[in-house]
């Protein structure tokens, strides 16, 4: 890695300029304090942000609504107070040198926030009104309502326009796939970066051992972002596209999710405790297994008699016996969920703390599917001096997860049922290959995780106009993936299960962050304000692992020491380092017109040796039009802000994709094995990062005295230099492929969010948030001479091809079918199938709409609900395709009463091996969650020596409306694969019913 001399000189010059004195020394500074309350109820408002306009000074209110801002220069200042759900309030205060001043505020509730604060890539907080892009802020539900949100992925689902959380399945511990404004890369990850309290954390989701798991249970894998504990989260901000991501640098092209954990507030110790109990239910109706049975028309012998046999005249149907192992001999149980937790916060003006711990137990709908997890958090903030503020954030997780076999797996529970027999059997009970679930439950597949995430942030303000910020921290994850099957117990046709086996893989992932920056604010003539920032950011990602495997497990043992054959060991070591620097300049005019320009430069260890630094520019403009004197003041339009932004960022190549390397091998020379090396990878020294650029534009509109607000955003994003694997000539004697920067991918879309306070009164309040998005993803170019990239279940069900969305479904079309003799059944010759594959649709939703609403009655009952619609996509129902096209135990090909359409789809799959009839529309509406919270009156709470007492009853996945004919339109047997998407014997989403008691002391 190298830093260009020009960049280093620019940074030194900027630092020298920042050091120029332009204000009184901090020793002449004073302090401003006060309280923020609700304008109607006069109740204290905690966690409101109070800022001194035109400076970097500010503070948050405690539980009592009070705040203190220190190190404020003498003079008259404008203060602004912001809080989610309230209209911003402003006020002026005059402060003498070294003196104190007081400023109290009463805030009025409003539908949504147009002028909040967000955390930027520089580590500073910035007012939303200053940004040209539109980050999403997710309001974390009240503690009681978290009973309906058992994971971080649930917390993000449906709460931000343009953010799609695609759940893989209903197995406890299954993960999700997050896409923000579509997919950008053909070959690299499309997952967003996650930052917790300023530190990047491991968010790998691939299933190749370098991400979430190294064990193959058929499809489902956990998500590392679900290690996050919703109980400890204070706020979530999502920066969606390159227009707002330039300063985050290489790796941020897919979006950034910033999580801030809870902080203490000055005051007496405040305890919150909760206990949650619930059930997990399987609610799916699984299909029966059929066998048409009849007699041969030529011999009179009994035989299988399918619809196409009847049409061909080879048999007469006598009966259609059927059996459903999953329903008649159910492997499912009613699972359980339990969580117990407590936290305490408090402190003084000089030192605040937040301490929390909770324990979670969840048993899924299979008796072996279990999750045990313990979380602990300790956050501190110290005002070391009037100029120096230090905060420390630490979180620890330990978990133990046991997965069942399922999905694309011979030994899966659901495939064993829906591919099973059409009749009962006293031993196998009709399950596939004679494996009843009780036998398959012997396979013990587990993952243990110990994870620590910690950060330290220091903010030093030696002058009222200058702030220096440093952040350092790490995310360290020790993971043990292990699996064992005892020999001689599982009924299997052959090894390894007949012998038993043991697999033990240990991995350690470390992500290290160190950032430093400086921000200077200068008040200029003509109502101008200048804010200048520069900084350096360092990120180091390390992955290490050891894998071991053995078979023929000695009876009574469960470790590798007990195995006797087919030993295999492997080791992996990877490291990736990014070093970047940035410069940013903002000019504000009258605190209503803001123009910002920035430049980020990066070097990365995965870049090709012949490629140097990469630079990412950014430009933003925001204009609060409604504050102009000439803007008409009406009740209908109460506020208006116009905004636009342009930015670029990138995605680094994968580990060693730019390097030619060698692998050790053994060769035979004169009958003896000798060590040698072979080319392991043909690196490309010219390899550079994929570069994504985006322009977005939109407005924020307040209506009816801010009882309703509308935010609308259009974006146009293009990724160039996309990595594509080019096939090399075999005669080169090297690897078969080499990554080259050849491709281009585009994403365009429209996002809208409408917030409305529909009713507001002393006894009744009703507010709602509606977010909506439409998107279009397309491969613009794969590069000269590059054929369409074909993949997916079956080897060819999906592809990347120019002119179509990434991962699009393709298949030979059904051109038509006709029951020519009107006998009610189709012969294989009565179905016509095309010769060439055609585009069938995208697996990713192109339309999303979510409604989140809250109703409060008499101050003691609150109802919250979330419903979501997704559409414009298809899902490959490969479960039914496999049943019809391979096992022929589906209803369509065994019962003459089935529709001609169903018969045609089954015949196309069976005789023409085309699955297009099962690439179905997957539009759906889901009632995601409902929570009903009862808050006890204060006098009742005091009887329990508590200051607050509430009970919440909640449900999740309560209803689904869809035309999709499979088990669930959200399923993905490909888990968190980059693009592979299919419904193939996955556990459908389960239903949760929970209750929670919350007590505050």
């Amino acid at each position: 890695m190298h830093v260009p001399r020009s960049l280093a000189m620019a940074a030194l010059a900027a630092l020298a300029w920042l050091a120029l004195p332009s204000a009184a020394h901090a020793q002449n500074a004073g302090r401003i304090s006060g309280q923020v309350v609700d304008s109607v109820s006069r109740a204290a408002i905690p966690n409101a942000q109070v800022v001194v306009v035109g400076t970097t000074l500010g503070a948050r209110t405690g539980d009592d609504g009070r705040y203190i801002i220190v190190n404020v220069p003498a003079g008259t200042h404008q203060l602004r107070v912001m809080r989610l759900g309230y209209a911003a309030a402003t006020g002026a205060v005059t402060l003498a040198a070294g003196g104190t001043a007081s400023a109290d505020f009463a805030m009025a509730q409003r539908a949504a926030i147009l002028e909040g604060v967000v955390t930027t890539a520089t580590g500073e907080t910035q007012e939303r009104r200053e940004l040209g892009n539109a980050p999403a802020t997710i309001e974390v539900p009240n503690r009681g309502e978290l009973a309906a949100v058992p994971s971080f992925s649930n917390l993000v689902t449906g709460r931000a326009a343009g953010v799609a959380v695609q759940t893989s399945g209903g197995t406890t511990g299954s993960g999700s796939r997050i896409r923000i404004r579509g997919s950008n890369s053909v070959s690299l990850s499309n997952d967003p970066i996650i930052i917790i309290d300023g530190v990047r954390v491991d968010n790998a989701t691939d299933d190749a051992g370098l991400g979430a798991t190294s064990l193959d249970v058929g499809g489902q894998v956990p998500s590392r972002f679900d290690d996050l504990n919703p109980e400890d989260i204070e706020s979530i901000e999502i920066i969606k596209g390159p227009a707002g991501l330039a300063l985050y640098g290489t790796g941020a092209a897919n979006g950034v999710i910033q999580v801030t954990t809870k902080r203490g507030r000055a005051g007496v110790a405040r305890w919150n405790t909760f206990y949650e109990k619930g059930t997990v239910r399987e609610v799916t109706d699984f299909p029966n297994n059929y066998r048409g049975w009849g007699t041969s028309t030529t011999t009179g012998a009994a035989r299988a008699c399918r619809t196409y046999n009847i049409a061909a005249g080879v048999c007469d149907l006598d009966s259609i016996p059927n059996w459903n192992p999953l329903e008649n001999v159910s492997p499912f149980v009613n699972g359980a969920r339990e969580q117990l937790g407590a936290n305490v916060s408090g402190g003084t003006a000089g030192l605040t703390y937040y301490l929390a711990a909770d324990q979670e137990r969840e048993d899924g709908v299979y008796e072996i599917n279990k999750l045990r997890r313990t979380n602990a958090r300790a956050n501190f903030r110290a005002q070391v001096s009037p100029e120096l503020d230090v905060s420390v954030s630490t979180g620890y997780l330990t978990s133990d997860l046991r997965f069942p076999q399922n999905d694309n797996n011979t030994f899966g529970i659901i495939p064993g049922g829906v591919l099973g027999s059409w009749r009962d059997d006293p031993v196998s009970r009709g399950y596939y290959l004679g494996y009843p679930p009780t036998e398959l439950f012997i396979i013990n597949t587990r993952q243990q995780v110990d994870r620590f995430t910690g950060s330290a942030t220091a903010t030093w303000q030696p002058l009222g106009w200058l702030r220096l910020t440093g952040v350092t921290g790490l995310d360290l994850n020790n993971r043990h993936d292990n699996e064992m099957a005892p020999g001689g117990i599982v009924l299997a046709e052959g090894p390894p299960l007949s012998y038993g086996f043991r697999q033990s893989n240990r991995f350690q992932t470390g992500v290290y962050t160190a950032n430093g920056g400086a921000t200077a604010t200068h008040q200029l003539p003509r109502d101008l304000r200048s804010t200048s920032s520069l900084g350096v950011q360092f990120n180091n990602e390390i992955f290490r692992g050891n894998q071991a495997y053995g078979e023929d497990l000695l009876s009574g043992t469960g470790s590798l020491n007990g195995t006797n054959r087919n030993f295999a060991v492997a080791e992996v070591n990877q490291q990736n380092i990014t070093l970047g620097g940035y410069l940013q300049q903002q000019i504000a005019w009258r605190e209503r017109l803001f123009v910002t320009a920035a430049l980020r430069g990066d070097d990365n260890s995965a870049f090709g040796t012949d490629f140097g630094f990469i630079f990412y520019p950014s430009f933003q403009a925001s204009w609060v039009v409604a504050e102009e004197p000439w803007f008409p003041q009406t009740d209908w339009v109460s506020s208006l802000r116009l905004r636009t932004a342009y930015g670029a960022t990138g995605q680094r190549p994968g580990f060693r994709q730019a390097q030619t390397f060698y692998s050790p091998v053994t060769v035979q020379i004169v009958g003896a094995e000798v060590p040698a090396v072979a080319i392991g990878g043909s690196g490309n020294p010219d390899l550079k990062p994929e570069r994504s650029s985006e322009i977005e534009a939109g407005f924020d509109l307040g209506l009816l005295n801010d009882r309703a607000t509308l935010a609308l955003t259009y974006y146009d994003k293009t990724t160039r230099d996309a990595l594509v694997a080019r096939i090399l000539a075999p005669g080169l004697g090297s690897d078969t492929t080499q990554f080259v920067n050849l491709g281009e991918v585009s994403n365009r879309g429209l996002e809208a969010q409408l917030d409305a306070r529909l009713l507001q009164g002393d006894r009744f309040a009703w507010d709602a948030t509606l977010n909506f998005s439409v998107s279009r993803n397309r491969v613009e170019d794969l590069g000269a001479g590059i054929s369409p990239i074909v993949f997916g279940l079956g080897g060819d069900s999906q592809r990347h091809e120019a002119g179509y969305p990434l991962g699009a479904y393709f298949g030979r079309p059904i051109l038509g079918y006709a029951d020519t003799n009107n006998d009610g059944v189709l012969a294989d010759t009565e179905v016509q199938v095309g010769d060439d594959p055609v585009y069938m649709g995208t697996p990713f939703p192109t339309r999303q709409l979510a409604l989140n609403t809250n109703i409060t009655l008499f101050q003691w009952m609150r109802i919250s609900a979330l419903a979501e619609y997704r559409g414009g996509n298809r899902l490959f129902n490969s479960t039914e395709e496999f049943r019809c096209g391979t096992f022929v135990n589906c209803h369509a090909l065994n019962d003459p009463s089935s529709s001609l359409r169903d018969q045609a789809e089954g015949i196309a799959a069976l005789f023409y091996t085309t699955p297009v009839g099962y690439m179905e529309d997957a539009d759906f509406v889901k009632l995601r969650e409902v929570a009903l919270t009862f808050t006890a009156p204060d006098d009742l709470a005091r009887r329990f020596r508590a200051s607050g007492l509430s009970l919440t009853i909640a449900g999740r996945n309560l209803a689904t409306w869809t035309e999709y004919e499979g088990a669930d339109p959200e399923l993905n047997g490909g888990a968190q694969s980059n693009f592979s998407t299919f419904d193939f014997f996955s556990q459908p989403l389960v239903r949760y019913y929970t209750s929670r008691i919350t007590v505050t002391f």
Side-chain angles (χ1 to χ4, degrees):
M1 293 176 58
H2 55 280
V3 178
R5 184 177 180 183
S6 58
L7 181 65
M9 294 299 293
L12 289 174
L15 280 171
W17 181 83
L18 289 174
L20 291 175
S22 68
H25 191 269
Q27 66 183 1
N28 293 321
R31 60 193 297 171
I32 301 174
S33 62
Q35 186 179 32
V36 181
V37 299
D38 186 286
S39 60
V40 177
S41 67
R42 310 308 294 179
I45 300 177
N47 202 32
Q49 180 79 25
V50 187
V51 298
V52 181
V53 177
T55 76
T56 57
L57 300 172
R60 289 183 181 270
T61 58
D63 290 333
D64 57 0
R66 297 191 177 277
Y67 70 92
I68 300 174
I69 305 175
V70 297
N71 204 26
V72 183
T76 299
H77 299 281
Q78 189 79 5
L79 300 182
R80 179 178 289 116
V81 187
M82 290 154 288
R83 176 67 165 88
L84 190 64
Y86 289 87
T90 60
V93 63
T94 300
L95 183 66
T100 61
S102 178
D104 296 334
F105 295 90
M107 302 183 72
Q109 294 189 24
R110 62 180 292 173
I113 189 165
L114 292 178
E115 300 187 55
V117 293
V118 297
T119 303
T120 68
T122 67
E124 300 281 347
T125 57
Q126 188 174 14
E127 294 184 48
R128 184 182 294 269
R129 61 169 27 215
E130 300 178 13
L131 300 176
N133 65 305
T137 299
I138 294 179
E139 183 177 5
V140 179
N142 295 329
R143 285 193 175 274
E145 293 161 10
L146 283 174
V149 186
S151 69
F152 177 78
S153 54
N154 296 152
L155 181 58
V156 178
T157 299
R159 288 180 167 86
V163 180
V165 182
Q166 296 180 289
T167 303
S168 300
T171 303
T172 288
S174 287
S176 301
R177 181 169 61 187
I178 299 179
R179 292 293 178 266
I180 301 175
R181 289 185 176 174
S183 299
N184 303 310
S185 180
V186 175
S187 306
L188 301 177
S189 170
N190 285 284
D191 299 321
I193 285 176
I194 293 183
I195 298 175
I196 302 177
D197 295 331
V199 173
R200 290 193 185 187
V201 299
D202 174 30
N203 184 33
T205 57
D206 66 82
D207 54 3
L210 307 184
T213 186
S214 59
L215 301 177
D216 182 7
V217 295
Q220 300 303 299
V221 299
S223 294
R224 291 278 67 90
F225 52 73
D226 277 333
D227 290 343
L228 283 166
N229 184 10
E231 305 292 337
D232 292 335
I233 296 176
E234 183 170 280
S235 65
I236 300 173
E237 295 165 357
I238 302 178
I239 303 92
K240 300 177 184 178
L245 290 167
L247 291 191
Y248 290 89
T250 303
N254 303 318
V256 170
I257 300 177
Q258 291 192 144
V259 176
T260 301
T261 59
K262 288 184 168 67
R263 296 291 188 267
R265 304 285 186 265
V268 298
R270 184 179 179 88
W271 287 86
N272 288 283
T273 61
F274 70 91
Y275 176 70
E276 179 181 313
K277 184 77 173 178
T279 64
V280 184
R281 302 290 182 91
E282 163 51 52
V283 293
T284 305
D285 293 326
F286 292 96
N288 291 352
N289 301 326
Y290 294 88
R291 170 67 65 86
W293 200 255
T295 56
S296 171
T297 56
T298 57
T299 67
R303 58 160 290 166
C305 189
R306 273 60 181 250
T307 56
Y308 50 86
N309 300 137
I310 299 171
V314 301
C315 67
D316 293 320
L317 182 68
D318 294 332
S319 62
I320 312 173
N322 60 86
W323 177 250
N324 193 324
L326 295 177
E327 300 287 346
N328 302 129
V329 195
S330 176
F332 303 110
V333 297
N334 287 334
R337 177 173 174 79
E338 186 176 29
Q339 193 172 7
L340 174 66
N343 68 75
V344 59
S345 63
T348 66
L351 176 65
T352 59
Y353 59 86
Y354 173 84
L355 306 174
D358 68 76
Q359 188 173 58
E360 177 185 0
R361 299 164 57 92
E362 183 169 308
D363 298 333
V365 295
Y366 304 95
E367 64 181 46
I368 62 170
N369 184 202
K370 300 177 183 297
L371 174 65
R372 304 290 183 263
R373 183 155 53 193
T374 300
N375 284 281
R377 175 158 295 278
N379 292 346
F380 301 92
R381 177 179 175 271
Q383 191 76 44
V384 179
S385 71
E387 299 83 15
L388 180 61
D389 179 280
V390 178
S391 62
V392 176
S393 171
T394 61
Y396 175 74
L397 160 81
T398 179
S399 70
D400 185 359
L401 170 65
R402 184 175 179 184
F403 259 139
Q405 308 290 308
N406 247 337
D407 304 282
N408 189 10
N409 189 336
T410 300
F411 307 109
I413 308 303
I414 291 180
V418 298
L419 295 181
S421 176
W422 45 274
R423 61 184 176 183
D424 192 9
D425 177 89
V427 177
S428 70
R429 304 310 310 270
Y431 280 89
Y432 173 54
L433 290 182
Y435 302 151
T438 52
E439 295 287 342
L440 299 177
F441 286 163
I442 299 296
I443 303 173
N444 191 346
T445 307
R446 309 182 81 97
Q447 181 180 90
Q448 287 93 21
V449 171
D450 288 284
R451 184 172 187 177
F452 173 83
T453 304
S455 66
T457 302
T459 302
W460 182 40
Q461 190 151 353
L463 302 170
W465 56 273
L466 175 64
R467 175 179 292 188
L468 308 177
T469 302
V471 180
T472 185
L474 64 89
D475 177 42
L476 186 63
N477 182 9
N478 290 301
R479 192 180 89 220
H480 184 204
D481 300 340
N482 57 98
E483 189 171 46
M484 188 270 289
I489 297 179
V490 176
L491 302 177
E493 295 179 336
L497 285 181
S498 59
Y499 300 146
F501 68 89
R502 172 65 174 172
Q503 186 171 6
S504 180
N505 307 330
R506 295 184 182 274
F507 301 96
Q508 183 179 82
T509 303
V511 183
Y512 304 88
T513 299
N515 302 332
T519 298
T521 302
H522 298 270
Q523 205 65 41
L524 304 177
R526 300 182 182 275
D527 298 320
L528 295 175
R529 173 173 58 85
S530 167
T531 302
S532 307
S533 300
L534 65 85
V536 177
Q537 297 182 343
F538 171 82
N539 185 249
N540 185 9
E541 303 170 51
I542 299 175
F543 182 87
R544 301 187 181 96
N546 295 285
Q547 299 165 272
Y549 176 84
E551 293 178 4
D552 196 0
L553 190 62
L554 184 65
S555 179
T557 65
S559 70
L560 287 165
N561 284 338
T563 58
N564 294 285
R565 70 175 76 184
N566 290 344
F567 303 109
V569 295
E571 183 176 7
V572 60
N573 291 281
Q574 296 187 5
Q575 183 176 24
N576 184 275
I577 298 175
T578 302
L579 177 63
Y582 64 84
L583 297 167
Q584 178 174 276
Q585 178 63 51
Q586 181 188 88
I587 297 295
W589 179 66
R590 293 184 178 178
E591 299 301 328
R592 54 178 177 260
L593 177 62
F594 308 89
V595 178
T596 306
L599 182 68
R600 162 96 184 212
D602 276 356
D603 197 2
N604 183 276
S605 59
F607 294 171
T609 55
D610 294 342
F611 181 80
F613 241 70
I614 187 168
F615 292 93
Y616 305 115
S618 173
F619 174 83
Q620 299 189 18
S622 173
W623 185 19
V624 187
V625 182
E627 294 183 2
E628 295 292 352
W630 46 263
F631 188 83
Q633 302 297 316
T634 68
D635 291 338
W636 286 95
V637 178
S638 46
S639 61
L640 175 64
R641 179 169 73 103
L642 306 179
R643 47 182 166 77
T644 187
Y646 166 82
T649 186
Q651 180 89 313
R652 62 172 173 79
F655 179 70
R656 292 201 301 193
Q657 288 178 352
Q659 300 174 349
T660 298
F661 61 94
Y662 300 89
S663 300
V665 296
T666 58
V667 295
Q668 291 277 346
I669 298 181
V670 195
E673 289 190 349
V674 298
V677 295
I679 295 178
S682 299
N684 178 0
D686 296 320
L687 206 62
K688 53 188 175 182
E690 298 183 342
R691 184 184 180 90
S692 297
S693 60
E694 179 188 57
I695 184 168
E696 73 169 59
F699 63 82
D700 300 324
L701 179 66
L703 302 168
L704 303 174
N705 288 322
D706 287 338
R707 289 178 61 90
T709 60
L710 173 66
L712 187 70
T713 303
Y714 169 79
Y715 66 89
D716 188 339
K717 178 172 56 173
T718 301
T719 299
R720 296 180 174 85
D721 297 326
L723 267 65
V724 177
R726 182 174 59 187
I727 298 176
L728 299 176
L732 294 176
S734 61
D735 197 17
T736 57
T737 60
Q738 181 187 61
F739 281 97
V740 185
N741 297 101
L742 295 175
E744 181 177 325
V745 179
S746 67
N747 287 276
R748 294 175 183 170
L750 186 70
E751 300 166 352
Q753 179 165 316
L754 176 66
D755 294 85
R757 189 166 296 277
L758 302 174
L759 293 170
Q760 180 65 45
D762 295 337
R763 297 185 177 183
F764 186 85
W766 181 17
D767 62 75
T769 297
L770 184 71
N771 66 66
F772 170 75
S773 64
V774 292
S775 61
R776 190 224 65 183
N777 171 266
R778 187 167 67 191
V779 179
E780 301 293 347
D781 190 11
L782 284 176
I786 302 296
S787 301
I789 301 170
V790 180
F791 62 99
L793 193 68
D796 60 356
S797 58
Q798 293 179 254
R799 62 176 60 185
H800 303 316
E801 183 172 338
Y804 299 97
L806 283 166
Y809 289 126
F810 273 78
R812 295 166 58 200
I814 299 174
L815 300 178
Y817 55 87
D819 180 16
T820 55
N821 59 1
N822 295 317
D823 60 357
V825 287
L826 293 177
D828 60 298
T829 56
E830 293 178 311
V831 178
Q832 292 78 48
V833 175
D835 294 328
D836 299 316
V838 298
Y839 172 64
M840 296 301 299
T842 173
F844 296 93
T846 61
R847 302 185 298 270
Q848 291 181 256
L849 185 147
L851 174 64
N852 197 333
T853 187
N854 298 280
I855 299 174
T856 303
L857 300 173
F858 304 104
Q859 303 297 318
W860 59 268
M861 185 171 70
R862 178 180 169 91
I863 304 169
S864 64
L866 172 64
E868 185 180 17
Y869 160 79
R870 294 184 192 174
N873 64 304
R874 290 178 176 259
L875 179 61
F876 181 14
N877 184 0
S878 44
T879 297
E880 193 66 9
E881 182 267 342
F882 201 64
R883 280 162 48 83
C884 286
T886 302
F887 278 70
V888 203
N889 69 343
C890 63
H891 178 262
L893 296 185
N894 286 281
D895 190 341
S897 69
S898 59
S899 70
L900 295 181
R901 189 206 71 172
D902 289 348
Q903 292 182 46
E905 292 171 351
I907 286 172
L910 178 62
F911 290 95
Y912 301 97
T913 63
T914 179
V916 295
Y918 302 96
M919 294 175 177
E920 304 177 21
D921 289 337
D923 292 27
F924 68 84
V925 174
K926 285 207 174 197
L927 182 57
R928 290 284 185 197
E929 58 194 54
V930 173
L932 177 61
T933 300
F934 300 94
T935 301
D938 292 342
D939 56 349
L940 178 58
R942 284 193 291 269
R943 294 182 185 180
F944 294 90
R945 298 184 179 180
S947 58
L949 178 65
S950 67
L951 169 66
T952 298
I953 301 171
R956 185 166 190 84
N957 299 327
L958 297 176
T960 302
W961 296 271
T962 182
E963 296 297 322
Y964 178 69
E965 296 182 359
D968 194 306
E970 284 194 276
L971 289 182
N972 183 17
Q976 284 82 267
S977 298
N978 217 4
F979 294 102
S980 294
T981 306
F982 48 85
D983 171 358
F984 197 56
F985 311 118
S986 302
Q987 169 59 48
L989 269 65
V990 293
R991 185 168 297 166
Y992 289 82
Y993 296 105
T994 54
S995 59
R996 174 183 287 209
I997 295 176
T998 304
V999 183
T1000 302
F1001 299 95

